[in-house]
Amino acid sequence: MNQHTNTKNTSGKGEEEITSVVNRRLFLRSAGLATSLGTIVIAAGCNDDDDDPMIPGTGDTVDLGSGDIGVLNYAYALEQLEAAFYTQVIQTPYAGMTDAEKAILTDIRDHEIVHRDFFKAALGDKAIKGLTPNFSGIDFSKKDAVLGAAKLFEDTGVAAYNGAGKLIKDAKYLLLAGKIVSVEARHAAVIRDLIKPKSTDFAGDDIIDMNGMDKAVAPADILAAVKGYVKETVTGANVGK
């Protein structure tokens, strides 16, 4: 992650707005650090699986597996997609990307890479293969296209973790998912704020239900929603079973 904060106004923004952006960056960085440190202890236990998972196959079809291993592979697949997306965003910045925006998107990229690499290490030989992203439908040169895709990925990620929580049997894995989804929710909020600064859309009614809770979506529905962004066919019929 970035080790310094540039508070110089290079884009004509007011001091109040720059301070707000810097505070969001520090908030995101602290959340990511707490997550990575807090889950290291759990990592040692992730290979001690009592289930008999269906080990993912090879070729163009990737099966996530069964039981808790299936749930972890499900999260790993989504983290792969997000890490690849933000890596591309930083490698090919959209037109007019400000220093403040780049700093935020870089921090999010770093978080997603930490999450992806953590799941890969924790799963060991039970991990699915590296997926091949398909971002051909995203125009990375345009801010609206990039932030719109980021909003989709982050909102989907939060709903995915929420929907998979009830399928997790091992309390250690549930704790892990709870820590990571809280960071993903921070990502979702800051992306929405970049799209509509200082609005209430960071927690819009399209993602928050009538009880003030984030929406939860089942794995099958999430996989159907993101299938266009992955070249392989990812199946999760036995996730959590």
Side-chain angles (χ1 to χ4, degrees), residues 2 8 13 63 84 94 103 127 146 198:
N2 295 337
K8 183 179 180 180
K13 295 178 180 295
D63 194 300
Y94 53 75
V146 169
K198 299 182 180 181

Side-chain angles (χ1 to χ4, degrees), residues 174-191:
L174 185 59
L175 176 62
L176 167 63
K179 288 186 174 183
I180 292 182
V181 72
S182 66
V183 178
E184 297 294 345
R186 286 164 170 77
H187 293 173
V190 77
I191 290 296

Side-chain angles (χ1 to χ4, degrees), residues 20-29 104 190 193-194:
S20 176
V21 170
V22 170
N23 287 339
R24 288 199 299 270
R25 287 185 58 204
L26 292 174
F27 184 53
L28 285 168
R29 183 182 297 119
I104 289 174
V190 77
D193 192 54
L194 288 179

Side-chain angles (χ1 to χ4, degrees), residues 24 136 140 162 169 176-177 181 199-200:
R24 288 199 299 270
S136 60
F140 284 90
N162 289 341
K169 300 178 179 64
L176 167 63
V181 72
S199 76
T200 59

Side-chain angles (χ1 to χ4, degrees), residues 3 18 34 67 100 121 130 148 158 160 162 170 207-209 211 226 231-232 236:
Q3 299 300 315
I18 290 295
V158 174
N162 289 341
D170 191 315
I207 53 172
I208 305 297
D209 64 23
N211 297 313
V226 302
K231 292 186 178 181
E232 294 85 357

Side-chain angles (χ1 to χ4, degrees), residues 80 93 103 114 118-119 144-145 185 191 196 203:
Q80 285 190 53
V114 168
F118 170 78
F119 279 115
D144 289 348
I191 290 296
K196 294 182 180 180

